[in-house]
C-alpha cells in the first residue's frame, strides 16, 4: 500500500518506508502501542526493548532527530490524533497517535519535541515531566549516502 502521493509505502510489517528521506518509521507510535504517556528516559528504554526484540527484522531503531520528525509534518495531509483532533501527518500512519514526538536532541534536562498539530514546530520539554510525551521510532536513512532531504536543509 502506498500513500496517495507515493511518498510512503506500508511494508506490511509494522513499518512505513519514506521514499523522500529513505527513513523507515514505525507505523504505530508509543501511545498506540501502550496507551500511555512516556517521559524521554522511558522512551529510551522502550527503544532498547524494541531493538532487543529485533522489531521488523532490525535492531537499530531510535528516536528521530528534530529534522527527521519535522519531515513527517505536512499541512496538506490530515490524520487524527488520540483525541480525534487534526494532526498533519500522512493518513498511511494509523489514526489515534500522539500529536507530537520526542526527538534525540537533548540539552541538559530537556529534549526537543516536534508537534504535528496546528502549525507544527519544535520546542523543548523537560525529559521527565514533559506533557506532550509521545514518540514514533525511526531507522535509517537506508542509503549509505546522505539523503537529498538532509543535504537540502
Amino acid at each position: 500500500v502506498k500513500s496517495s502521493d507515493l511518498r510512503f509505502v506500508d511494508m506490511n510489517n509494522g513499518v512505513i518506508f519514506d521514499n523522500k528521506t529513505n527513513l523507515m518509521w514505525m507505523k504505530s507510535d508509543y501511545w498506540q502501542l501502550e496507551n500511555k504517556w512516556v517521559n524521554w528516559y522511558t522512551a529510551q528504554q522502550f527503544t532498547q526493548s524494541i531493538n532487543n526484540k529485533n522489531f521488523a527484522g532490525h535492531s537499530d531503531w531510535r528516536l528521530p532527530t528534530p529534522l527527521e520528525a519535522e519531515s513527517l509534518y505536512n499541512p496538506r495531509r490530515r490524520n487524527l490524533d488520540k483525541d480525534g483532533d487534526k494532526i498533519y501527518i500522512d493518513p498511511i500512519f494509523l489514526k489515534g497517535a500522539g500529536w507530537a514526538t520526542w526527538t534525540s536532541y537533548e540539552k541538559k534536562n530537556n529534549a526537543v519535541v516536534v508537534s504535528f498539530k496546528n502549525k507544527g514546530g519544535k520546542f523543548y520539554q523537560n525529559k521527565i515531566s514533559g506533557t506532550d510525551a509521545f514518540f514514533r521510532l525511526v531507522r535509517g536513512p537506508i542509503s549509505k549516502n546522505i539523503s537529498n532531504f538532509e543535504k537540502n536543509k
Side-chain angles (χ1 to χ4, degrees), residues 7-39:
R7 174 178 169 183
F8 296 104
V9 180
D10 187 336
M11 307 298 286
N12 296 318
N13 61 353
V15 172
I16 302 289
F17 180 73
D18 183 343
N19 284 304
K20 180 178 177 185
T21 62
N22 288 329
L23 295 169
M24 286 179 112
W25 293 93
M26 283 181 66
K27 187 171 183 175
S28 299
D29 78 348
Y30 185 82
W31 177 266
Q32 293 165 312
L33 296 170
E34 301 291 330
N35 204 35
K36 58 185 173 183
W37 284 277
V38 62
N39 71 38

Side-chain angles (χ1 to χ4, degrees), residues 29-82:
D29 78 348
Y30 185 82
W31 177 266
Q32 293 165 312
L33 296 170
E34 301 291 330
N35 204 35
K36 58 185 173 183
W37 284 277
V38 62
N39 71 38
W40 191 84
Y41 296 103
T42 304
Q44 298 290 349
Q45 292 169 342
F46 180 83
T47 303
Q48 188 61 51
S49 169
I50 285 290
N51 284 326
N52 289 343
K53 292 175 185 166
N54 215 36
F55 178 77
H58 302 284
S59 60
D60 58 350
W61 294 96
R62 58 183 173 76
L63 289 176
T65 66
L67 187 63
E68 289 168 340
E70 286 179 311
S71 77
L72 290 181
Y73 176 85
N74 183 338
R76 292 184 301 277
R77 299 282 177 232
R78 304 280 193 287
N79 204 322
L80 297 176
D81 72 9
K82 68 179 202 63

Side-chain angles (χ1 to χ4, degrees), residues 80-121:
L80 297 176
D81 72 9
K82 68 179 202 63
D83 300 318
D85 295 330
K86 276 188 286 203
I87 54 173
Y88 299 99
I89 63 172
D90 198 281
I92 199 164
F93 292 96
L94 297 173
K95 286 189 302 195
W99 54 82
T101 184
W102 286 113
T103 70
S104 58
Y105 191 83
E106 58 179 311
K107 194 173 187 180
K108 296 189 179 175
N109 297 329
N110 298 304
V112 171
V113 171
V114 170
S115 172
F116 304 122
K117 274 184 128 168
N118 304 321
K119 294 185 179 179

